[in-house]
Amino acid sequence: MLRAGSVVTCIACKNLLPSRMGVKFRVPLQKLHPLSRAIHHRYFANNNPQRPPHCSAARHYTSLSRLPMRPPKSRSGGHGYQQHRSFWVARLAARLLKLRYILLGSAVGGGYTAKKTYDEWKDMLPDMSQYTWIVPDFVWELSENIDLGKLASALPELEEIAKLLPDMEKIRENFTFLKSLLSSETTGESTLRATDIPPTSAAMSDSSDKQFKKSSDKEKVDQLQEELLRTQLKYQRMLERLEKENKELRKVVLQKDDKGIHQRKVKKSLIDMYSEVLDILSDYDSNYNTQDHLPRVVVVGDQSAGKTSVLEMIAQARIFPRGSGEMMTRSPVKVTLSEGPHHVAMFKDSTREFDLGKEEDLAALRHEIELRMRKSLKEGQTVSPETISLSVKGPGIQRMVLVDLPGVISTVTAGMAADTKETIFSISKAYMQNPNAIILCIQDGSVDAERSIVTDLVSQMDPQGKRTIFVLTKVDLAEKNLASPSRIQQIVEGKLFPMKALGYFAVVTGKGSSNESIDSIKDYEEDFFQSSRLLRDGMLKAHQVTTKNLSLAVSDCFWKMVRESVEQQADAFKASRFNLETEWKNNYPRLRELDRNELYEKAKNEILDEVISLSQVTTKHWESILQKKLWERVSTHVIENIYLPAAQTMNSGTFNTTVDIKLKQWTDKQLPHKALEVAWETLQDEFARFMAEYKGKDQDDIFDKLKEAVKDESIKRHKWNERAMDSLRVIQHNALEDRSITDKPQWDAAIQFMEETLQSRLKDTDSVIADMVGPDWKQRWLSWKNRTPEQHTRNETKNELERLLKLHEDHTAYLANDEVTTVRKNLEARGVEVDPVLIKDTWHQLYRRHFLQKALLHCNLCRRGFYYYQRHFVDSELECNDVVLFWRIQRMLAITANTLRQQLTNTEVRRLEKNVKEVLEDFGEDTEKKVQLITGRRVQLAEDLKKVREIQEKLEAFIEALHKEK
């Protein structure tokens, strides 16, 4: 056995030498493996008697080496031999009994020791029963719903998996051999010896050995590097294959709900809880300077540097709109990545799920993101600071929150707003100045590093590089275009840019086509780095390449930052909450903390109550107010366009004909419109009156702007029914056609109506004349007022015209030209220069007063004219046709008011209530509208309190879940 072993060992030692050596010589002992060297010295020590054997290299222990050396005993016969022969049975029995006790004691002691050790280990193990909640409930039911035996049989055997693994012993021996070779080169002299070769031959063999050794060592290193790279890629493929199988398996498990597993309420994941806090903080604006310092990954880079492509590779879906060289990211997009059974995306304010495995849903998602970006832009803007919140779930996605920012630009091009560059810088700085934000700096590797803008910006915000991760994109183009690939090595080692970073990564995000899928990009990236000299020559480390490694590193950094900072942020919000609550208690001790939405709901109920109160208005009140308002609206037209022209006629027939014609024209064109306008204004006035009356009952003045806006918008939207106008026209026409006054009270009522109308007009006319001629002598003496030159001229003109009226009391309504000339000359004779237009204007007011005074005298005479009216004024000089006209007008007003009242109470009040509800619903959905209409420190304080409490509660829940996950 020993001889056979020596032969094998010698062959093993000889195999360590290259087969291409031209000179035969022995391998130096220092170049051999220690174990091989020990075997070599043991079996070949006699070959070279001049050199002592190296016994210290390895000691040889056998089962016989420790037995004591005793001299051999004689076996000759004699008495001693007989005695020894007689007691050998006793000695054998004694030894057997002794062996039995030894075995028994060893068994007992060993069993006790094993039990004690087992109990100690068992006590050291933690009580895992308290952590069973970590495992979802459906996992405990897997054995009931999934055949684990079939699943285990489908998995590959351990022997097959072992075949895929490399021979680690062989790799270790190769590394040891390589290490010994490299260490021998540093000694500076060769240790080879050839005692049986002449000195000249030995020198020649040494020189050739050195040349061959250098070339063989280099080749060996190259081979080992290639083998290492292949092994790593092999492991990477195995991991990806196992991850893919794991995804499919988890899909099957989670989709078992449709086949009988009882559905339970799914708890929110840790990243979803954290994302909700960030969503609330994005809308929060505190007057207490409570800043948002919670971590998130901020993706910044120059325009078209590949920011969006990197984010898509991390999210494993082409979810963002794309453009060739133009700006596509116009507002920040917050993407919450989490793991889930299906690869889906969803907006924060929407319930629609986009299936990222379907191209139609991907296109719809990209279109929706683009629409939301354009909608967030105000007029004249190119970029917006408004954040779009999106969540992406899928198997194998790393949990984190990323914010994709608009690309940094150096020049504002045509079509952009003038402040676009400054706006992008301000948005980027606002996100990066967060001391806990992780900056993912994206640099285009295909362009010159000197053209980078974002690196200077990042170095300003994080000069020490404690929270920056540098990513070099388009490395495939960079390797192809750069004359010196070592420049890429300088970049990823942080020696080229002034900025510092936690880590440097190099990635490839496709060939530049927008139609590439994520899987094809991954394959292209893997193939590139597998064949790239950057990785083969050691310029890039294996952990610095591929977006897979990047996403793992970013996720680890993100969660590390979250764990370090989230409790500090929770304490800050707790302090802010205390300050806000103290301010509320001091300023509003007796009021509830109602935020803007709650106040809006309260105001909404009050407004609806006020609208309902309109139905409680009495019929008498509606008709009286409608009649009064309608007459105020049409009285001027009745007096100026109907009564006065008809009264200038010479007889009653002409008077009645003129009145009928003008009433018909008025009814057809203007009267119905005027009536509806009056009805609508009356409804508005009553609505406003009820609001004012309700306000007196401890009404909060914080709702005034809202109520006024609701009233105005409701009135603007309200349109009267057109068919109601047609029916109203017929009713008014029929009312005006009737001339039959049935009794004396109606006649007296008409005379009273006429008298009140004429007195009101006479009073107005006297007021106009007084303004024209200025103060009279009493006002001048008592009030110390003087007339202006124009008033003096009008006063002289008035006096001259009054003399004319005294001479001709039955004068017509208009002055003849001769009369105008006569008046002007008489005034000029008194030294008053006057214009003919002024004479006619003054005459109109004087004649109007003269006519109204005569009409009032005639009205008094007609008080006893009802008897003559019944006889149609036959054989009577008294004619009261003007009284009949005013009766017709009065009756038309009463009938119109009654008709409008019915339409208001039956239709329009309900339509107004409906309009008010619609306006309130629209305002309730418009956040900006509510902010404009419900304002004040009280509202803002309640809003801040609500937000801070919500943030603090969610942070505490997140921290609790985070501690449980640890």
Side-chain angles (χ1 to χ4, degrees), residues 475-672:
V475 183
D476 52 341
L477 300 178
E479 184 185 35
K480 185 186 302 182
N481 298 334
L482 288 178
S484 175
S486 60
R487 192 173 176 84
I488 297 178
Q489 184 178 5
Q490 292 178 345
I491 294 176
V492 297
E493 289 178 354
K495 298 178 180 179
L496 190 63
F497 290 108
M499 60 169 286
K500 299 179 181 178
L502 282 174
Y504 296 82
F505 289 86
V507 299
V508 174
T509 55
K511 301 178 181 178
S513 174
S514 60
N515 298 324
E516 289 182 284
S517 64
I518 295 296
D519 292 336
S520 63
I521 295 176
K522 285 183 179 179
D523 294 340
Y524 174 71
E525 183 182 41
E526 181 181 340
D527 294 340
F528 168 76
F529 283 116
Q530 184 176 0
S531 59
S532 173
R533 55 179 295 194
L534 298 173
L535 195 61
R536 189 173 60 251
D537 295 347
M539 297 182 185
L540 295 176
K541 305 295 189 299
H543 66 274
Q544 289 182 303
V545 298
T546 72
T547 51
K548 178 74 174 178
N549 292 334
L550 171 64
S551 63
L552 290 171
V554 174
S555 179
D556 291 342
C557 187
F558 169 77
W559 284 107
K560 180 181 178 183
M561 190 74 77
V562 168
R563 290 185 173 90
E564 291 175 353
S565 62
V566 67
E567 293 188 0
Q568 182 181 359
Q569 290 299 303
D571 293 339
F573 280 103
K574 186 176 181 180
S576 177
R577 174 179 176 175
F578 176 78
N579 295 336
L580 293 172
E581 288 176 345
T582 303
E583 182 180 356
W584 183 274
K585 290 177 182 177
N586 293 334
N587 295 325
Y588 312 102
R590 297 185 178 181
L591 294 177
R592 288 191 300 134
E593 299 170 2
L594 300 179
D595 61 9
R596 186 171 279 108
N597 292 330
E598 292 170 336
L599 288 171
Y600 181 80
E601 290 300 322
K602 183 179 178 182
K604 177 180 176 181
N605 294 330
E606 290 183 2
I607 293 172
L608 292 177
D609 291 341
E610 293 162 7
V611 175
I612 293 175
S613 300
L614 288 174
S615 60
Q616 301 176 359
V617 179
T618 61
T619 301
K620 183 178 179 181
H621 179 78
W622 275 122
E623 292 185 0
S624 63
I625 195 171
L626 284 169
Q627 188 171 347
K628 180 181 178 182
K629 286 183 175 292
L630 181 59
W631 175 241
E632 289 175 356
R633 183 65 59 86
V634 302
S635 59
T636 301
H637 181 83
V638 170
I639 299 298
E640 301 294 336
N641 294 12
I642 298 177
Y643 175 60
L644 290 178
Q648 303 301 320
T649 58
M650 303 304 295
N651 53 59
S652 60
T654 308
F655 178 87
N656 291 331
T657 302
T658 304
V659 166
D660 290 342
I661 293 173
K662 290 187 175 295
L663 287 176
K664 180 69 168 60
Q665 294 174 350
W666 182 45
T667 305
D668 292 339
K669 296 181 180 180
Q670 299 181 8
L671 183 57

Side-chain angles (χ1 to χ4, degrees), residues 131-145:
Y131 300 95
T132 55
W133 60 269
I134 298 178
V135 182
D137 294 339
F138 70 87
V139 175
W140 304 112
E141 299 179 0
L142 288 179
S143 60
E144 301 176 4
N145 299 276

Side-chain angles (χ1 to χ4, degrees), residues 42 146 192 247 380 489 509 662 759 824 888-889 904:
R42 182 181 180 188
I146 298 178
L192 292 175
K247 289 180 186 178
Q489 184 178 5
T509 55
K662 290 187 175 295
Q759 287 176 352
R824 185 169 62 83
R888 294 165 69 182
I889 297 295
L904 281 173

Side-chain angles (χ1 to χ4, degrees), residues 675-690:
L676 293 182
E677 289 177 3
V678 168
W680 183 222
E681 291 176 4
T682 304
L683 184 60
Q684 298 177 39
D685 294 342
E686 290 299 301
F687 185 29
R689 181 175 68 84
F690 274 101

